Amino acid sequence: MRALALLLAVCATAAQACPGRDAPCEIDGGTYRIVLPEGAAPAPAVVFLHGFGGSGAGVLRQTGMVSSLTARGWAVIAPDGRPRQGRNGLRWSFDGAEGRTADAFLRAVAADAAARHGVDAGRMVLAGFSNGAFMVTYLACRDPEAFAAYAPLSGGFWEPQPERCAGPVRLLQTHGWRDPTVPLEGRPLGGGRRVQGDIFAGLQLWRETNGCQWDDPEGYATTGQFMRRRWDCGAGSALEMALFPGGHGVPDGWADLMLDWFEALPD
C-alpha cells in the first residue's frame, strides 16, 4: 500500500509539473503542450504539428479545431519544433538538420503524454499543417507504425521524393484547391535550390506502398466542402485524399472530417 501511495504521489507530481496548456511539458529534446477532454481516460489523441514559424502554443490558440477534437473525447497534443536561426518562431526539419532526430522526439512526446496524462498510446493520430504536414509525411514514410494513422494537411514530400517507404500506412491527405503556398503541383523555392513535391506524385508513392493494384480510387464522396476519394488496398492500410476549395489554411470542418475517417477504420 505504501508503494502504491508513493507511485500515485510521483505521478501526481509529474502531472502537476506538466500542466500542458498554460505551460509546456519538458522532455529530452524539446517541449509540448496538451489539452485533455472531459471524461474517463485513456483518451485517444491527435498530435498536431504547427506550421513554419508557429509553435505548440499557437496550435492551441486554434480554438475551433481544438474544441472540435476535445468535444469528441480526443486529447490534443501540440509539440514545439526547433527555433529558426536568426528569426522568430519554430520549424520542423524532416531531414534531421535541426540537430535532433525529430522522429524520435515525436515518439518520445507520445510516450510521455501516455505516461503523464493517461492518453491512449495506441490511438494517436499524427497530424500537421504545412511545414508540420511535411514532417508528418516523412515520418509516416520512415516509420509507419509509430502512430495509428497520419493526417498531413497542406503538405507532402519534397523533390526528390523517396523512392519507397518502409511499409503500408493509414493516411488522410487534405489540401486546398487554391493553395498558393504549397500548390498541389509543387513549386521551387530559393531560386530552385529546393522544390516542393507534387501532392499527386506523393499519392502515387502511397498507393505503391499500400500495395494498390490500380491507381483509380475505390470510392468517391462529398462531405460538406470536402471532395474525397478513397483507395482500398493492402491489409492494414488506408488511403484517402480530401480537397477543399480554399487556400493555405486549416479549413472549417477538418477536425470532424479527420476523426470520422479515423474512427471508421477497422481495428
Side-chain angles (χ1 to χ4, degrees):
M1 293 295 292
R2 292 180 61 187
L4 177 59
L6 178 60
L7 177 60
L8 292 174
V10 169
C11 292
T13 301
Q16 187 175 14
C18 174
R21 179 191 282 270
D22 299 323
C25 303
E26 297 185 10
I27 63 172
D28 288 343
T31 56
Y32 71 91
R33 295 174 187 258
I34 184 169
V35 176
L36 295 168
E38 295 182 359
V46 175
V47 181
F48 194 93
L49 308 186
H50 60 77
F52 194 73
S55 67
V59 168
L60 297 190
R61 287 195 291 270
Q62 298 182 50
T63 54
M65 179 184 74
V66 173
S67 296
S68 294
L69 294 170
T70 56
R72 291 181 55 168
W74 284 67
V76 181
I77 301 170
D80 288 313
R82 283 297 196 191
R84 300 189 294 169
Q85 292 185 352
R87 302 177 67 181
N88 295 328
L90 306 173
R91 68 185 295 267
W92 296 101
S93 179
F94 50 83
D95 57 7
E98 61 186 2
R100 69 175 177 186
T101 303
D103 296 17
F105 168 66
L106 293 173
R107 289 192 294 267
V109 166
D112 190 80
R116 288 207 226 192
H117 300 282
V119 297
D120 187 345
R123 290 190 297 160
M124 285 191 187
V125 177
L126 182 65
F129 170 68
S130 193
N131 177 233
F134 286 103
M135 182 69 239
V136 170
T137 301
Y138 278 88
L139 195 152
C141 185
R142 289 189 290 252
D143 192 359
E145 296 185 358
F147 291 86
Y150 298 87
L153 171 60
S154 301
F157 291 111
W158 289 75
E159 291 187 2
Q161 73 175 25
E163 294 183 1
R164 63 184 60 87
C165 291
V169 297
R170 304 202 297 180
L171 184 141
L172 171 65
Q173 179 85 52
T174 308
H175 213 96
W177 182 256
R178 294 185 288 109
D179 189 337
T181 303
V182 184
L184 282 162
E185 298 78 10
R187 66 171 177 138
L189 296 176
R193 289 189 298 273
R194 302 200 70 190
V195 180
Q196 293 171 349
D198 187 311
I199 297 299
F200 296 105
L203 287 167
Q204 176 63 35
L205 176 58
W206 292 128
R207 287 193 294 269
E208 294 171 359
T209 300
N210 284 358
C212 298
Q213 185 176 6
W214 306 108
D215 290 337
D216 56 313
E218 275 74 32
Y220 301 85
T222 300
T223 303
Q225 66 174 329
F226 298 97
M227 297 180 64
R228 306 165 64 178
R229 50 179 58 198
R230 186 191 77 249
W231 292 267
D232 299 325
C233 301
S237 73
L239 181 61
E240 184 165 325
M241 182 182 195
L243 290 175
F244 62 95
H248 195 66
V250 180
D252 292 342
W254 173 83
D256 285 314
L257 172 82
M258 187 273 295
L259 291 188
D260 289 344
W261 168 78
F262 177 79
E263 292 175 352
L265 296 177
D267 293 333

